[in-house]
Every structure is written in C-alpha cells, then in structure tokens.
Amino acid sequence: MQLALYEKYDLRLPRYTSYPTAPHFSASVNGRVFESWLGDLDPAQPLSLYLHIPWCREMCWFCGCNTKITKQYDPVGNFVVALRAEIASLLSKLDPAHRFKVSHIHFGGGSPTALKPEDLSAIMADLTDRIDILDDAEVALEMDPRTATPEFIDIMAECGFTRASIGIQDFNPFVQRAVNRVQSFELVEDVIARLRAHRISGINVDLMYGLPFQTVDSIIETVDQTVTLNPDRLSVFGYAHVPWMKKHQNLIPTEALPDTAARWAQYEAIQTRLTSHGYSAIGLDHFARDDDAMAIAQKSGLLHRNFQGYTTDRAEALIGFGPSAISSLPQGYAQNDPALARWQRAVEAGECGIEKGIAVSNEDRIRRDIINELMCNLTVDVAAICADHGISADRFTWEIERVRAMTQDGIVEVNGTHIHLTESGRPLVRAVCAAFDTYLDHAHGRHSQAV
C-alpha cells in the first residue's frame, strides 16, 4: 500500500467492539434499567461473563486500560469483597426459577494475576454456586507473567481455566525499559510451560507495534522468539498514544515514537512474518493457527467481536462485573462506573454500579450486524442482513456509495450490495465500517489511529 493511501485513511476511529460505541453511552441507562434487563434474559440461552480486575503491581506506560497501581494487598482484598458482593447481587436478578448456564468466562484487567490465588478461587466458587459452567465453556484469564506465580497457576487449574492470554508486547530490553514493562523471554517461556503442564492448553499472546524505539528488525526478532513458544493465537495491537486520556503515557519519550511510515512498515513486517510461520490473519489484528477454534470460526463465518476483541463466544448476553466493565445484553449496553471508589461504594451499599449505557434500536442492530461482518470476515452482503431484519437494502444506498468511492484506492470491492475488503484494505477495515456509523460525526470522544 502506498504511504499516501495509508495516511489518507489513517483516521482516529472507534475499534468497533460495540455499536453504538462507548462515547455515545449516557445516564439514560442506570442501575434500575440494567437490573430489569437482567430479569428479562432468556434462561434457555447461555451467558458470557466478564470480570474486570483493575489492579497491577506497576504501571506499563503504554497502557490504555482502566487500572490502579498498588504494591499492598489490602486495597485489592477490599476490591475482592466488593466484587463478590456484586456477583451475588447481579446474578440474583436473573430469573430465579431457572439456573442459567455459562459458555464463556473472561478475567481481564489490569492484571488478574494481582489477585491472591485463594481470592481467585473464592470468586470462581461464587460463580459456580449460582450458575452452571458448560462442559465446553472457555474460561480465560489475562496474565502478567511477572506476577503469575506457580501457586496462582495451580489454582487456575483447580478452577477449570482453559485459556490464558500472556502480555508480551516486545522482547527487546531497550523497548521494554522505555515503556516500563521489563520481562525476560525465559520468564514468559517458564509461565507458558507451567500452564501447559497443568493442561491449560489455550495460549494467547499479545504483541504491540508503534512503541518507542521499535524498528522493523527488532519487531521481527520478537515475532521469531514468540513463535518458538507455539501460541495458538496472537493479538497484534498498534500502540495508541492518547496522553490526554492516559496521563502516564506522557512518560513515554514521544520523540522515539515511530512516524506513520514506520508504523505501517512495522505492521506489514509482523503480518508477513507471522504468515510465513503458518499463522492466518484474523480480522483486523489477530492471528491464529489453522486448527485453532478462532480460525475455524472465521472460515465458518461464526467469528464474533465484543469488548475483549475477537472471540468465538456467541452468547447473546454478556454480563460485566467490576469497575468500567461493560455488559452487552439484547436490550443494549450498560457500563459500570470506571471510578473504582464510586463503584465500590455503590456495590457495598447494595446498589448497582452502573454509570451509563445505551438502549439499542432496530436500526442500531442492523448497522451493528453489518459492522460486525466487516470487522470479523472483511466481507458483507448488506442485502442479506437487511433481509434478516425484514427491511430493504435501499436503506443503505448512501452508505454503499460512500464505500464504493473507496474502490478507486484498491482497499475494497463493491458488487451490488456485496462489500469485500482486499488484503491491502485489511488494516483499514475500521474506515469502511465508519461509513455505516451514524453516530460518528457527532462523537465527543477521541479515538485511536486506524492502524
């Protein structure tokens, strides 16, 4: 792709992990509304659960997540008490005449490895006391290898975890020091070996490009080292420099950040190298082995996208626990208060910690389906989706023509109502999705670069 074309479409756009996206949530959805939504869930449909653990031992300067830093455990222990109270409260709002089943559980953060092993065990016990985890459920946890002790991994195995996501980012020591995330290859290798020894065989790893002092050569070296660990899946994210939102990012030397041309070269280098190692590109920023469930889901047209990124989870309802966690229910989205202290006070007072959300309309659902198909499969038949919703594709004539204008740049092909991204258009899929986003022109939030 020519650099001029990359720069043309490298806009600041949503990541489309939801539609409508989070900047459009409002106080119109409060705790009372959310609890009524929970009470209306269909017990015949499995649930998905997300638990946000906001704690880390130290701050990674590239981090864009909702985190709190502490080297003392008392604040974490107090948080665990509140989280367990929230679990009991929210699950009690489900139809009491039925015992719900769960197909997916994901612990994110922050660093869930900041928990004591016994607290992780207690949280899982609270869940299984109230719901049934399906035999083929995926139970996953994001790990900081620096705090993933052998005892913690022992408890993961006892609790039935099936997948772990390891934050690598970059193995180059110079880059690691520049972002305050120093960890050796040998440490990561040991953690993954321990997981596999406990039959926690699903291994994801996270890599990043666009970090300070990264070069194409250094990134290729990190990719080659990572591949020797034989992960099933890799997530490859471009660093989003948003110091107006995340003040700690001001600690990163901006003069060492790659420019647009360098970011693009790094992205291309990672994609080419992983493909040469036998990984298939999945959507915008994931890679997987051909026999992995995610690659199979993409080939079958069953890949999905939620707030954790690409997933094989197809549950219609995702319930979020912890500060900033977002629930996605058939009726709409609801987000917990991101301020830990306010969320904790609300939960300890027996109240719902919801701060904002949005009810989705039929129009939103149609546009969400179109965007999801583009983000997951890089192709969509707008007419087919409209037919599923009982409307005419004429509703989207303007949007299709807007996308058709991109064909001259070679990033997309349009045939009637069929839209298909070319391989060179893969990194710019968010720009194509934006054509169907009726909220975007009115957004008050600032987003990350498209690549």
Side-chain angles (χ1 to χ4, degrees), residues 137-141 143 153 156-157 160-166 191-205 229-233 279 289 291-293:
E138 181 172 279
V139 185
L141 183 142
M143 304 184 75
I153 294 173
M156 285 180 65
F161 281 83
T162 63
R163 182 169 294 278
S165 182
I166 313 293
V191 167
I192 291 177
R194 288 180 182 276
L195 288 165
R196 287 182 170 138
H198 283 78
R199 300 191 178 184
I200 303 173
S201 56
I203 303 296
N204 296 16
V205 300
L229 301 171
N230 196 28
D232 307 289
R233 306 172 188 170
Y279 288 89
R289 296 201 177 279
D291 60 351
D292 180 76

Side-chain angles (χ1 to χ4, degrees), residues 140-203:
L141 183 142
E142 297 173 11
M143 304 184 75
D144 181 341
R146 299 170 300 175
T147 54
T149 64
E151 295 76 17
F152 190 92
I153 294 173
D154 290 344
I155 291 297
M156 285 180 65
E158 290 179 16
C159 291
F161 281 83
T162 63
R163 182 169 294 278
S165 182
I166 313 293
I168 291 176
Q169 322 314 342
D170 193 296
F171 279 125
N172 184 285
F174 196 53
V175 174
Q176 289 185 352
R177 287 193 293 272
V179 297
N180 200 39
R181 176 68 178 244
V182 177
Q183 58 191 29
S184 68
F185 172 85
E186 291 73 22
L187 173 63
V188 176
E189 184 180 40
D190 180 66
V191 167
I192 291 177
R194 288 180 182 276
L195 288 165
R196 287 182 170 138
H198 283 78
R199 300 191 178 184
I200 303 173
S201 56
I203 303 296

Side-chain angles (χ1 to χ4, degrees), residues 190-269:
D190 180 66
V191 167
I192 291 177
R194 288 180 182 276
L195 288 165
R196 287 182 170 138
H198 283 78
R199 300 191 178 184
I200 303 173
S201 56
I203 303 296
N204 296 16
V205 300
D206 296 339
L207 302 180
M208 293 186 75
Y209 63 92
L211 294 173
F213 302 111
Q214 280 183 321
T215 66
V216 166
D217 288 343
S218 73
I219 280 181
I220 288 176
E221 186 176 357
T222 286
V223 169
D224 289 345
Q225 288 178 286
T226 301
V227 168
T228 67
L229 301 171
N230 196 28
D232 307 289
R233 306 172 188 170
L234 301 97
S235 304
V236 180
F237 302 121
Y239 167 58
H241 192 59
V242 288
W244 56 87
M245 294 174 59
K246 301 294 180 179
K247 301 302 183 185
H248 56 265
Q249 290 187 353
N250 286 303
L251 296 168
I252 286 180
T254 55
E255 69 279 3
L257 291 173
D259 61 15
T260 298
R263 280 178 68 97
W264 169 245
Q266 292 171 9
Y267 173 89
E268 277 195 321

Side-chain angles (χ1 to χ4, degrees), residues 6-58:
Y6 170 74
E7 291 175 330
K8 175 180 177 180
Y9 289 104
D10 189 30
L11 310 173
R12 292 196 177 272
L13 297 168
R15 296 195 64 83
Y16 292 114
T17 51
S18 70
Y19 185 82
T21 55
H24 308 287
F25 294 1
S26 74
S28 62
V29 173
N30 54 27
R32 178 181 53 79
V33 172
F34 178 59
E35 290 178 359
S36 71
W37 288 356
L38 290 176
D40 290 337
L41 289 178
D42 181 358
Q45 297 297 320
L47 302 173
S48 181
L49 307 180
Y50 172 74
L51 297 95
H52 187 78
I53 313 299
W55 297 100
C56 291
R57 297 280 177 84
E58 57 183 295

Side-chain angles (χ1 to χ4, degrees), residues 1 5-6 9-10 13-16 209 234 236 264 267-272 274-275 279-288 290 294-295 298-299 303 305 310 371-379 406 409-413 419-434 449-451:
M1 182 187 298
L5 183 60
Y6 170 74
Y9 289 104
D10 189 30
L13 297 168
R15 296 195 64 83
Y16 292 114
Y209 63 92
L234 301 97
V236 180
W264 169 245
Y267 173 89
E268 277 195 321
I270 293 173
Q271 184 178 41
T272 300
L274 284 174
T275 301
Y279 288 89
S280 296
I282 305 293
L284 172 65
D285 49 23
H286 280 46
F287 295 82
D290 286 342
M294 184 168 284
Q298 185 184 55
K299 291 174 183 176
L303 190 65
R305 190 162 172 83
Y310 290 106
I371 289 171
N372 188 70
E373 286 295 305
L374 287 168
M375 291 296 299
C376 293
N377 302 313
L378 304 182
T379 186
M406 302 178 187
D409 292 324
I411 69 170
V412 67
E413 298 168 351
I419 297 172
H420 178 74
L421 274 96
T422 63
E423 190 57 36
S424 61
R426 180 187 295 273
L428 303 175
V429 59
R430 290 156 65 190
V432 179
C433 292
Q449 289 173 278
V451 177

